[in-house]
Every structure is written in structure tokens, then in C-alpha cells.
Amino acid sequence: MNTSEGKIRSKLHEHGTPTEFGTTYMPKICLSKFRNSWSNLEIANTSEISLHPGSHALHYGSTCFEGLKAFRHQDGTINIFRMHDNIQRLRQSSDLLCMPPIDTELTSRMIRHIVGIFRDDVPLPPSSMYIRPTHIGTDSSIGKASEPTKTSLLYVLLSPGGNYFHDGEAALRVMLTEEFSRCAPDHGMVKSGGNYSSALKHLRNAKMSCRADQVLFCPDGEIGETGVANFIFIDGGSLITRALDKSILHGITRDSVLTLARAKGLKIEERELSIEELLQRCTQKGAEAALTGTAAVMAAVTTFVYHGDVFQIGNGRPGQIIRSLREDLNAIQWGEASDPYSWLTRI
Ligand SMILES: *Cc1c(COP(=O)(O)O)cnc(C)c1O
């Protein structure tokens, strides 16, 4: 790292810990360009990336990204959570979108390099440095509607942020629907902008029609996921969640929570869960539900809305087991517990 890069500091820390998620960025990004092969990593100003208006990404959707977090521990070390799993998933998304292949070693170096430059800006828990690797197709040819991009840009953007739910613990109201899909049925495992934008209109309608915070998409009447997070249901000592298939994003938080739940003695059932079974069981005492994802970690769901009927989950408050799973996960991320699964990369 050269010294001028080492001296770059955000204004943020002069004013204390950030509170709102995803609104502030570090002034530099790390990037590499693909043209037959990947270029050496470079540092560039966040404000200065330029794109040709005919770029493949802007017209034909060749874009994918990742979201992961770096945490500051009490001993001053900076630790990135499950970085290798996120890089593998970026590689998979890029492959499924026919984009240039991700070089996992280079991407790992890019992430560690840019986080290293801004290590003094990584806030203390519960805040963290959110890391957003982004891969976009850059061929400037609007004639390439049915051809993949041959060139691309990979950059790593950093955003220090506080709790996703700044007013404390979430208690979400979620609308269930079997009528629509979040995205194309074979594209659920791709982390790509197109999947998000195709889910938005359903969320907008659900917000207006029943004040829902999220829509839980249930293709063929089986519980899937929301537009942004995986879904888990807990009842009677079992944790039930959809098995991994092409229709859902293979969440790393989901995987982490399943691992921790298994260690706690919960029975893990990765299987189909019908709307009918969910609604029958959810009102029982002890039932709990949550959405899982890197940004929000685990957000409790306390109400379902289905065809206008309202169902209170369990006692209608965020569940105990979900809270304790979130605490277990945070303890590892924040360095307050050991890391038995080697989830952290220290930089
Ligand atoms: C990113 C994402 C998730 C959560 O994945 P994590 O690896 O846990 O962050 C879940 N569902 C969708 C649709 C996503 O895009």
C-alpha cells in the first residue's frame, strides 16, 4: 500500500459512527478490467468510473454483485466474514450470466487490498464495513443483444454502515403470494440487478394494498424467498427452510444460521413448505419466522398477510430462538466467540 492511499480517510469518522446502511462510500475503489485476461488491480476514485453509454451491462443486464462485511474486533484486527464463499458465488453468478470468468485469487486480493487501505475506517460492532464487489459487462455494442460481453469491469466498493434496522429489532409484516415470481425460475441463484428490479412492482403493490414490508414469493404454493432475503421458519424444535434449488439465492447467512442451529440441537428440515402448512403452524405458541441476509443478518417476521387475512406469528413478537441464533452469529462476526468454522479472514 502506498502512503498516500494509507492516509485517505473518510469524513465519516470525524463525526462518529455511521448509522444508516448503504448511504456512505469510501472515496476509492479497487478495480480490474477483463479483456482476454484480467488486468492488474488498480485503485481509482469512487467518483470517477466512466462507462460507455452503449455498455452491455446497461442494456442487456450483464451485471452481478456480492455483499459481505468486514468487522473490527476489540483487539484492533479487521476480519471479513465468509469471503471465499462470496467470491465463489460471484464466480457462479458471472458464469450463469455468460460473463468473463471471475479470478477468485485476484478478487480475494482486491477485497483484502481495498479493505486494508480503509482499515482505520472499519467501525466497531454493531456497525461494519459493507463490501460490494460488482461485475459489469462493458462491451460497447448495442448490437450484442444475443451475444455475451467479452469485456468487463470488476470493482470493489466499500460502504461503512450501522445496523440495517436503526430503530432496533425488526418485526416485519410479510405478504405471501403464489401468484407471482421474484424472477425467472431458473435464475434465482444469480445475484443480479435484474432479479431485484423484477420483484419491485410486486413489493410496491403489497406495500399499497396491505402495508407489507416484504413479499414472500411462493411459486406453486411452496415457500420460496423474498426479493432480498431467504426465509426460515422455526417451530417445535425444528428449523424449516426451502432446500437449495435454482429458484432461490443460496444465502450465506442462511447457511451460517443452519450451521449454528444444528449446533444448538435444532432439527434442520430443508424441504418444501406449503403456504397451507406454514399458516396452520405459524399461529401456534413458540412459532418464529425470520428473513436472513448479510445486510440485515436475521430480521424477525411477526405477521403474515395472505389474500387479505392477517396471521400473527407465535406471540406476535420477535422470537427467542431467532434472537439467540443472531447473537451466536454476531458473536463470531464480532470476535466475541471463537470461530470454529473458520468463517473469518483476518487482514
Ligand atoms: C443476497 C441475497 C440473499 C442473502 O444472501 P446472503 O449471502 O445471506 O447475504 C437472499 N436472497 C436474495 C434474493 C439475495 O439477493
Side-chain angles (χ1 to χ4, degrees):
M1 188 204 315
N2 81 36
T3 45
S4 68
E5 285 167 358
K7 283 186 193 132
I8 298 159
R9 294 292 165 255
S10 74
K11 290 213 174 84
L12 213 98
H13 271 256
E14 297 161 23
H15 303 297
T17 306
T19 51
E20 216 175 321
F21 185 85
T23 51
T24 319
Y25 300 98
M26 291 293 106
K28 301 273 178 183
I29 57 175
C30 187
L31 65 84
S32 172
K33 294 172 184 164
F34 188 89
R35 185 175 287 271
N36 300 316
S37 66
W38 289 101
S39 65
N40 286 334
L41 61 80
E42 285 170 51
I43 300 298
N45 289 331
T46 301
S47 55
E48 274 171 18
I49 114 164
S50 68
L51 268 187
H52 191 281
S55 289
H56 199 273
L58 300 176
H59 298 268
Y60 306 123
S62 52
T63 81
C64 54
F65 66 90
E66 272 306 320
L68 62 165
K69 283 174 170 173
F71 297 91
R72 172 180 300 282
H73 289 181
Q74 276 303 333
D75 63 6
T77 59
I78 304 301
N79 300 267
I80 307 178
F81 188 69
R82 301 197 68 169
M83 179 181 75
H84 301 291
D85 298 298
N86 282 276
I87 294 172
Q88 279 305 332
R89 194 169 63 188
L90 185 64
R91 193 177 154 80
Q92 177 178 281
S93 293
S94 300
D95 178 50
L96 291 169
L97 293 171
C98 304
M99 294 178 68
I102 289 296
D103 177 335
T104 52
E105 213 285 314
L106 170 71
T107 309
S108 159
R109 260 193 294 135
M110 289 170 68
I111 293 172
R112 285 178 288 131
H113 186 63
I114 193 74
V115 174
I117 290 174
F118 292 107
R119 62 183 306 127
D120 291 349
D121 291 289
V122 177
L124 278 166
S127 298
S128 61
M129 183 68 83
Y130 184 81
I131 307 166
R132 174 55 67 92
T134 310
H135 188 199
I136 59 180
T138 48
D139 278 14
S140 58
S141 169
I142 52 175
K144 278 198 160 184
S146 53
E147 264 181 77
T149 186
K150 286 199 176 69
T151 64
S152 64
L153 168 67
L154 172 65
Y155 60 83
V156 182
L157 177 66
L158 299 180
S159 173
N163 251 341
Y164 194 77
F165 296 101
H166 31 91
D167 43 0
E169 198 171 20
L172 301 179
R173 182 178 172 94
V174 168
M175 190 188 98
L176 307 177
T177 178
E178 70 279 76
E179 245 180 298
F180 313 104
S181 301
R182 175 176 76 87
C183 63
D186 64 340
H187 250 242
M189 58 201 284
V190 185
K191 202 165 181 73
S192 182
N195 285 354
Y196 285 74
S197 52
S198 62
L200 275 181
K201 60 185 174 300
H202 304 305
L203 182 55
R204 181 181 61 192
N205 292 343
K207 280 187 169 160
M208 284 192 308
S209 67
C210 58
R211 294 179 294 111
D213 299 302
Q214 286 294 337
V215 174
L216 182 52
F217 295 96
C218 309
D220 302 322
E222 306 293 341
I223 307 299
E225 66 169 330
T226 70
V228 296
N230 297 118
F231 175 80
I232 60 169
F233 178 62
I234 295 179
D235 179 36
S238 289
L239 185 160
I240 309 173
T241 191
R242 188 184 184 93
L244 296 178
D245 61 23
K246 284 184 191 164
S247 76
I248 61 167
L249 204 281
H250 298 188
I252 292 164
T253 314
R254 171 193 179 280
D255 182 75
S256 307
V257 166
L258 262 52
T259 302
L260 295 170
R262 206 172 274 120
K264 263 188 162 25
L266 286 169
K267 183 169 167 239
I268 308 300
E269 299 181 34
E270 292 184 77
R271 63 164 171 89
E272 291 199 332
L273 172 63
S274 66
I275 294 178
E276 202 184 348
E277 179 183 351
L278 178 67
L279 293 181
Q280 252 167 32
R281 294 178 71 168
C282 78
T283 53
Q284 287 163 24
K285 196 165 155 273
E288 303 183 19
L291 302 181
T292 69
T294 294
V297 191
M298 287 180 89
V301 179
T302 49
T303 308
F304 289 131
V305 183
Y306 181 59
H307 291 307
D309 293 329
V310 176
F311 300 79
Q312 177 186 288
I313 303 168
N315 62 10
R317 289 194 298 274
Q320 288 301 324
I321 299 174
I322 282 161
R323 183 174 302 145
S324 84
L325 287 168
R326 183 176 51 236
E327 285 167 0
D328 288 356
L329 181 56
N330 281 336
I332 294 175
Q333 293 177 325
W334 299 349
E336 292 167 357
S338 66
D339 176 21
Y341 311 104
S342 300
W343 282 339
L344 297 174
T345 300
R346 177 162 297 184
I347 58 150

